[in-house]
């Protein structure tokens, strides 16, 4: 995609701040998520016998997804073109990418949805975690080696899914009911692609780069414990959220899948952003993210047999709290970095240039 991005970035005015490009792309991803949430709130719209998502929605989502992916690809090039690369830009780019993971995966889910021809909400939950761990694996690699490797799997998935959205508008969701090859359904292809990219591309390359750094004696952290600290909070988040699903008296994931995915994705984004800040500042990654404390208390309450209506209320309160806490954290960090480097986050103008 680099030849395309290199050509496209020349059309951008030199006064356009890279962070504004980054944020615009993120807003497009969020808009897609909200648009699909309106037309397919419970992921049944693509199931046989249900009212399907209008064709024009798939076209809009496909175009906006490709636009968001393109903006995510050119923001760094715009920064280098305007000589405005900063740690704030790096945090802004990868920090928003970490939150985009859940928006992207959940929006894609509407293509197949749940039901006899779709994917169960629990399988999608596991696939979401495959994507989340793949994302944090790359930043774990940079935390230890100082180099961020971005696999081609991301580019392939973005271009493919944008194309699939458009195709869905043309052929209809019914086309995905048919087997892709023999008894191999398109939903199975979707699952295989996500797992395959993680297992055969992202994981091997990250481990390979890690061991290369180890052999060259260039690792930033010499002990196994310090090297693995970034995985503690994500793994605990996975354990707690999975325990909630398994112990839920009201089957919370079946009842509120979209909200549950969003809660997990937001907590993960906060954990990842803290890791990114630590790798940028060469400081130690925190062992435990404080957002896991209220989640732990909720899981304990669920295990003790909380009433079904209270469980739903707890999920919504937790999701709201996580969202506000994550936004608050992001605003604080952006303000501190802007003040330290004497820059505006959405402008190339210097604060003291007046």
């Amino acid at each position: 995609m680099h030849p395309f991005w290199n050509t496209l970035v020349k059309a951008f005015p030199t006064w356009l701040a890279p962070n504004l490009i980054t944020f615009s792309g993120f807003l497009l991803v969020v808009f897609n998520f909200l648009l699909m949430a309106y037309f397919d709130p419970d992921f049944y719209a693509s199931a046989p016998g249900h009212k399907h998502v209008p064709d024009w929605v798939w076209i809009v989502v496909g175009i906006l997804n490709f636009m968001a992916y393109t903006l995510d690809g050119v923001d760094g090039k715009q920064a280098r073109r305007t000589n405005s690369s900063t740690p704030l830009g790096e945090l802004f780019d990868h920090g928003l990418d970490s939150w985009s993971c859940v928006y992207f995966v959940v929006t894609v889910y509407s293509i197949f949805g749940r039901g006899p021809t779709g994917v169960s909400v629990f399988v999608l939950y596991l696939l979401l975690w495959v994507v989340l761990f793949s994302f944090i694996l790359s930043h774990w690699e940079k935390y230890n080696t100082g180099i961020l490797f971005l696999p081609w799997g991301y580019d392939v998935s973005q271009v493919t899914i944008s194309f699939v959205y458009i195709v869905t508008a043309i052929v209809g969701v019914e086309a995905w009911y048919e087997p892709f090859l023999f008894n191999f359904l398109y939903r199975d292809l979707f699952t295989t692609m996500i797992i395959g990219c993680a297992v055969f591309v992202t994981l091997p390359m990250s481990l390979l780069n890690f061991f290369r750094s180890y052999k060259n004696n260039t690792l930033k952290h010499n002990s196994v414990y310090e090297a693995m600290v970034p995985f503690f909070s994500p793994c605990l988040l996975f354990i707690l959220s999975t325990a909630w699903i398994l112990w839920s008296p009201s089957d919370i994931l079946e009842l509120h899948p979209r909200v549950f995915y969003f809660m997990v994705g937001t907590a993960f984004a906060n954990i990842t952003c803290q890791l990114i800040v630590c790798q940028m500042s060469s400081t130690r990654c925190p062992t435990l993210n404080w957002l896991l404390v209220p989640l732990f208390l909720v899981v304990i309450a669920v295990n003790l047999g909380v009433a079904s209506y209270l469980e739903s209320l707890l999920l919504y309160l937790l999701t709201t709290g996580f969202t506000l806490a994550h936004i608050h954290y992001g605003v604080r960090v952006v303000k501190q970095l802007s003040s330290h480097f004497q820059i505006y986050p959405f402008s190339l103008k210097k604060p003291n240039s007046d």
Side-chain angles (χ1 to χ4, degrees), residues 38-340:
Y38 177 79
F39 286 99
D40 185 22
D42 299 319
F43 305 109
Y44 279 117
S46 294
H50 289 261
K51 183 179 179 181
H52 298 327
V53 173
D55 292 341
W56 68 266
V57 173
W58 294 116
I59 295 175
V60 169
V61 170
I63 293 174
L64 294 186
N65 188 81
F66 186 77
M67 288 177 60
Y69 162 64
T70 301
L71 292 176
D72 189 42
V74 302
D75 54 1
K77 296 182 181 296
Q78 176 74 351
R80 288 182 285 276
R81 177 171 172 247
T82 57
N83 195 29
S84 58
S85 298
T86 64
L88 174 60
E90 180 181 354
L91 173 64
F92 216 76
D93 187 2
H94 299 303
L96 291 179
D97 283 346
S98 68
W99 208 2
S100 294
C101 287
V102 65
Y103 294 114
F104 171 70
V105 173
V106 175
T107 302
V108 171
Y109 186 31
S110 288
I111 295 176
F112 305 97
R114 46 178 168 172
T117 60
V119 179
S120 73
V121 289
F122 185 71
V123 170
L124 195 279
Y125 166 77
L126 296 178
L127 292 177
L128 172 62
W129 269 110
V130 171
V131 174
L132 296 182
F133 271 118
S134 297
F135 185 90
I136 204 168
L137 188 65
S138 296
H139 289 279
W140 166 81
E141 177 190 336
K142 184 177 182 182
Y143 178 74
N144 285 283
T145 67
I147 300 174
L148 177 65
F149 169 77
L150 296 175
W152 279 18
Y154 170 73
D155 298 278
V156 172
S157 65
Q158 291 292 327
V159 175
T160 301
I161 290 301
S162 298
F163 176 74
V164 169
Y165 283 138
I166 304 296
V167 171
T168 302
I170 299 172
V171 302
V173 294
E174 294 84 0
W176 309 124
Y177 299 165
E178 302 300 323
F180 168 69
L181 183 65
F182 302 112
N183 291 324
F184 194 70
L185 301 177
Y186 281 99
R187 66 180 183 188
D188 303 319
L189 179 63
F190 166 68
T191 303
T192 303
M193 284 182 61
I194 292 179
I195 297 175
C197 285
V199 175
F200 297 108
V201 179
T202 306
L203 180 60
M205 289 305 301
S206 290
L207 293 179
L208 177 62
N209 292 336
F210 179 86
F211 284 114
R212 280 176 177 171
S213 185
Y214 171 76
K215 287 181 65 177
N216 295 332
N217 200 29
T218 57
L219 285 177
K220 292 188 172 184
H221 307 281
N222 295 323
S223 72
V224 175
Y225 175 82
E226 290 298 333
M228 301 302 291
V229 161
F231 285 132
F232 291 174
S233 286
C235 287
L236 186 55
L237 175 61
F238 172 74
I239 292 171
L240 290 175
S241 57
T242 304
W244 187 352
I245 294 171
L246 298 178
W247 291 342
S248 172
S250 63
D251 206 350
I252 195 69
L253 187 61
E254 289 286 341
L255 197 61
H256 304 291
R258 189 177 292 273
V259 179
F260 197 93
Y261 296 147
F262 183 73
M263 180 271 294
V264 171
T266 302
F268 171 84
N270 189 262
I271 292 170
T272 306
C273 283
Q274 292 192 27
L275 171 61
I276 294 172
V277 170
C278 290
Q279 70 188 24
M280 286 168 42
S281 57
S282 297
T283 54
R284 185 179 183 275
C285 179
T287 306
L288 180 68
N289 186 291
W290 73 268
L291 292 182
L292 298 177
V293 175
L295 177 59
F296 172 76
L297 295 177
V298 169
V299 172
I300 294 299
V302 169
N303 188 40
L304 294 177
V306 68
S308 298
Y309 74 92
L310 283 179
E311 185 178 12
S312 296
L313 178 61
L314 287 173
L315 174 61
Y316 277 90
L317 288 175
L318 200 62
T319 303
T320 302
F322 281 7
T323 304
L324 294 176
H326 185 50
I327 293 174
H328 174 69
Y329 173 79
V331 171
R332 278 181 54 212
V333 173
V334 168
K335 283 184 176 180
Q336 290 174 8
L337 287 175
S338 299
S339 175
H340 178 77

Side-chain angles (χ1 to χ4, degrees), residues 9-18 78 81-84 347-348:
V9 74
K10 295 176 183 177
F12 284 60
T14 54
W15 52 259
L16 184 60
Q78 176 74 351
R81 177 171 172 247
T82 57
N83 195 29
S84 58
S347 173
L348 296 181

